[in-house]
Amino acid sequence: MSNINTSNLHVEKAKTSKLADVNFEDLAFGKTFTDHMFMCDFVNGEWQQPQIKPYQPMQMEPSARVFHYGQAVFEGMKAYKDDHDDVFLFRPEENFKRINKSCARLAMPEFPENYFFEGLTTLLNLDRDWIKPGVGNSLYLRPFAIATDPAIAAAPGESYRFMIICAPAKAYYKGTVKVLIAEEFSRSANGGVGFAKAAGNYAAQFYPTSLAQQKGYQQVIWTDADTHTYLEEAGTMNVFFRINDTLITAPISDRILDGVTRKSLIQLAKDNGIACEVRQIKVSEIVEASKNGSLKEIFGAGTAAVISPIEGFEYQNTYRELPEINDHSYSSVLKQKMLEIQHNLAEDLHNWRHEVEVAK
Ligand SMILES: *Cc1c(COP(=O)(O)O)cnc(C)c1O
């Protein structure tokens, strides 16, 4: 093992790379990881020296608090490569701010900004060859933090671990999806943790989603917990509705996650002369719009798929189909624009791209 010390970060390089064994044509999302991982422990009230190590299993006490109380938060972001081998992140400071918001809500210590960015850029340089050029290819980055205290008292812990692991990715969702509008289950509630990327939010979605899948739907559109009459999110994505030529998406709240894709799409719609309203939207409004033919599109928005068009939805035992999407659909147009910005193929009006400089 060779050791390189930067200002603070300790790097232990992998002896051999697994890259040659990976079939990039046939990648299952999130199952293959690059050669290195980043980690940093919080003990005695302080973040310790950050480290990069070969990707490997780790040991933990069975009593570690994360296993019992789900004190864990995460992020999802991507690195992209253009045809000149330059590597870019998309609005990474948004992910940094958001994981610290999630940490604060889960009573976990915030992670220092310089550690986050030094760790991320060093990791991306070490695993640079894992990022393939071409629109649709990316390296999915998963920062996360967990409570590691070996103590099963139901109280916030004193020791934590912050990590980043990386998985090469192709387009996540394939084709369109059918969704079931939630009439019973909820994803989040007022005063809860819906706005945070808290691990437990996702565990709680698996069961209602599996019920929807048994009925032939891939995802659930979540409605407000009180009345189940307002549309909030689609699976683990924000959701947009197009009625006539206007896009509508719900305002963020403590129930709705402040998605980077969502806010970028709102801006891109504006830049491209597409009307976009941020307001609450009732299920009855889209049912009505579907009946009278003014409902043109519904799509999910998130880092993994950028935009995931929805083919139809079920509500109160009635399935309603949406018009077929084409190259002029807002979902196609906006997705293309986002991908071009992410892959350095279009002008970046809002400074969203962040180039990862090659390490000297
Ligand atoms: C991560 C996530 C999103 C999308 O956020 P992006 O920053 O666009 O990836 C939307 N909703 C939920 C519930 C999420 O967890």
Side-chain angles (χ1 to χ4, degrees):
M1 305 273 176
S2 64
N3 294 317
I4 308 161
N5 284 297
T6 56
S7 52
N8 191 24
L9 179 64
H10 181 266
V11 177
E12 177 190 326
K13 276 196 185 180
K15 272 186 199 152
T16 56
S17 174
K18 299 171 293 190
L19 185 56
D21 305 332
V22 177
N23 179 2
F24 279 81
E25 294 312 306
D26 183 30
L27 276 175
F29 178 75
K31 289 194 175 169
T32 303
F33 296 93
T34 61
D35 293 323
H36 299 92
M37 64 184 195
F38 171 85
M39 70 186 240
C40 187
D41 286 329
F42 183 90
V43 279
N44 302 323
E46 267 184 291
W47 288 103
Q48 308 294 307
Q49 186 182 34
Q51 302 176 47
I52 285 178
K53 290 184 172 192
Y55 181 93
Q56 61 190 287
M58 56 192 188
Q59 278 199 323
M60 207 163 286
E61 294 274 347
S63 55
R65 226 174 291 237
V66 62
F67 299 135
H68 304 273
Y69 305 115
Q71 200 184 2
V73 299
F74 69 93
E75 265 307 317
M77 53 200 295
K78 280 177 169 180
Y80 310 88
K81 195 180 250 180
D82 68 7
D83 292 335
H84 309 286
D85 242 27
D86 293 327
V87 172
F88 300 89
L89 292 165
F90 184 76
R91 310 185 74 176
E93 67 292 345
E94 296 290 334
N95 300 94
F96 171 72
K97 282 189 256 172
R98 192 168 63 190
I99 199 165
N100 276 346
K101 254 195 227 167
S102 299
C103 281
R105 179 62 182 83
L106 274 282
M108 300 170 77
E110 293 187 6
F111 197 61
E113 185 165 8
N114 59 333
Y115 285 18
F116 182 80
F117 283 99
E118 190 183 8
L120 202 54
T121 52
T122 309
L123 199 52
L124 285 172
N125 267 301
L126 286 166
D127 289 337
R128 210 173 175 93
D129 293 343
W130 288 77
I131 314 170
K132 298 297 172 195
V135 171
N137 293 323
S138 62
L139 186 66
Y140 184 83
L141 308 168
R142 170 51 63 88
F144 64 102
I146 55 174
T148 50
D149 296 69
I152 51 173
E158 283 163 6
S159 53
Y160 297 91
R161 177 167 289 172
F162 189 100
M163 303 190 69
I164 306 174
I165 55 175
C166 319
K170 286 250 183 218
Y172 188 8
Y173 285 111
K174 290 193 175 67
T176 51
V177 296
K178 292 183 179 161
V179 296
L180 182 66
I181 297 184
E183 293 172 59
E184 181 191 350
F185 293 103
S186 304
R187 193 191 87 83
S188 60
N190 291 333
V193 295
F195 70 90
K197 278 183 118 67
N201 285 344
Y202 305 84
Q205 288 184 211
F206 295 157
Y207 176 66
T209 305
S210 73
L211 294 182
Q213 283 168 351
Q214 284 167 23
K215 294 184 75 177
Y217 298 96
Q218 286 81 35
Q219 278 298 351
V220 174
I221 290 200
W222 304 102
T223 49
D224 70 291
D226 285 345
T227 65
H228 294 291
T229 54
Y230 291 99
L231 295 153
E232 302 210 316
E233 296 211 54
T236 57
M237 293 182 285
N238 293 112
V239 65
F240 286 76
F241 303 87
R242 174 183 173 186
I243 296 181
N244 291 317
D245 288 339
T246 302
L247 282 177
I248 308 162
T249 191
I252 55 164
S253 66
D254 53 4
R255 302 187 305 270
I256 299 182
L257 193 115
D258 184 5
V260 180
T261 315
R262 173 188 173 278
K263 67 175 125 190
S264 304
L265 290 175
I266 293 170
Q267 182 63 52
L268 276 186
K270 211 186 215 178
D271 295 349
N272 289 279
I274 295 172
C276 184
E277 294 175 2
V278 176
R279 63 167 171 86
Q280 289 202 308
I281 176 161
K282 280 193 162 171
V283 186
S284 57
E285 185 179 347
I286 67 145
V287 169
E288 205 41 51
S290 167
K291 284 185 190 161
N292 69 28
S294 59
L295 182 67
K296 309 291 187 203
E297 300 179 50
I298 306 179
F299 55 83
T303 296
V306 185
I307 283 180
S308 181
I310 288 165
E311 186 181 318
F313 64 91
E314 182 186 309
Y315 179 64
Q316 292 182 339
N317 296 315
T318 306
Y319 178 70
R320 295 176 195 284
E321 192 116 320
L322 285 148
E324 228 171 281
I325 60 156
N326 58 44
D327 289 349
H328 305 292
S329 302
Y330 288 175
S331 63
S332 317
V333 171
L334 293 172
K335 180 170 183 171
Q336 187 61 25
K337 298 225 177 261
M338 277 284 277
L339 288 169
E340 284 172 1
I341 296 173
Q342 289 168 336
H343 290 263
N344 194 26
L345 296 167
E347 202 187 343
D348 179 22
L349 289 176
H350 306 286
N351 283 317
W352 287 340
R353 266 193 314 259
H354 170 110
E355 186 169 351
V356 179
E357 303 292 342
V358 179
K360 303 251 161 43

